[in-house]
């Protein structure tokens, strides 16, 4: 893989959106085609993101180890800074529900049946295991707590 990683990241997002489009319209052949293209590129970048998890406006800043469980639901304009995990806690199959305009810092982990409100910033390396329903706050730490 040569060239600018941002080009590959934008291609990945494009393939993800096309996979979603064809999956939602029940066009199986095209769905499989774009799913395969997305997954091949995802292996190189370190991404494992299921379709129909993110709403519009997804931004990924860095390649490397982004894992998002297919049962998670994430709102508009989410920003991922890399090395993130969003999924279940290993005890239950339930996953996070994350609002709009959430900025998820590098290395942040969000697990369990929790709710994250709109406009929240999650600090780098934070481990979020409980809900934060107050919009517009900043959370950080292990386990994550409100810091601002």
């Amino acid at each position: 893989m040569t060239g600018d990683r941002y080009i590959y990241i934008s291609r990945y997002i494009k393939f993800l959106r096309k996979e979603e489009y064809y999956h939602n319209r029940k066009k199986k052949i095209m769905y499989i085609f774009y799913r395969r293209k997305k997954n091949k590129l995802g292996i190189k970048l370190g991404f494992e993101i299921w379709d129909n998890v993110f709403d519009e406006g997804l931004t990924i800043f860095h390649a490397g180890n982004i894992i998002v469980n297919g049962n998670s639901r994430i709102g508009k304009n989410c920003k991922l800074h890399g090395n993130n995990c969003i999924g279940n806690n290993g005890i239950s199959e339930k996953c996070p529900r994350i609002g709009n305009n959430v900025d998820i810092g590098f290395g942040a982990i969000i697990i369990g049946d929790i709710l994250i409100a709109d406009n929240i910033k999650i600090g780098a390396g934070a481990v979020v295991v409980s809900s934060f329903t107050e919009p517009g706050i900043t959370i950080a730490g292990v386990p994550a707590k409100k810091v601002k």
Side-chain angles (χ1 to χ4, degrees), residues 22-132:
Y22 290 114
H23 180 255
N24 294 338
R25 278 149 188 83
K26 308 223 184 305
K27 306 282 187 185
K28 191 168 184 166
I29 300 295
M30 293 305 290
Y31 164 70
I32 291 170
F33 176 77
Y34 281 107
R35 183 175 178 88
R36 181 175 160 81
K37 287 180 81 68
K38 179 203 73 164
N39 289 342
K40 278 181 75 174
L41 188 54
I43 289 168
K44 291 178 183 177
L45 292 169
F47 298 167
E48 184 179 327
I49 301 173
W50 286 82
D51 56 297
N52 293 316
V53 171
F54 288 92
D55 207 335
E56 64 188 53
L58 169 64
T59 303
I60 300 173
F61 290 105
H62 305 285
N65 295 338
I66 295 176
I67 300 168
V68 182
N69 188 301
N71 294 324
S72 302
R73 293 295 167 252
I74 302 164
K76 295 179 181 178
N77 304 317
C78 179
K79 294 179 176 75
L80 297 172
H81 290 270
N83 203 27
N84 304 117
C85 179
I86 302 170
N88 64 9
N89 59 10
I91 299 168
S92 154
E93 291 294 318
K94 295 187 177 182
C95 292
R97 295 169 317 280
I98 300 173
N100 298 325
N101 305 311
V102 175
D103 191 343
I104 302 172
F106 184 84
I109 299 168
I110 306 167
I111 56 173
D113 183 20
I114 61 173
L115 176 65
I116 305 294
D118 295 341
N119 303 309
I120 287 184
K121 293 185 183 196
I122 300 172
V127 178
V128 184
V129 293
S130 58
S131 293
F132 290 90

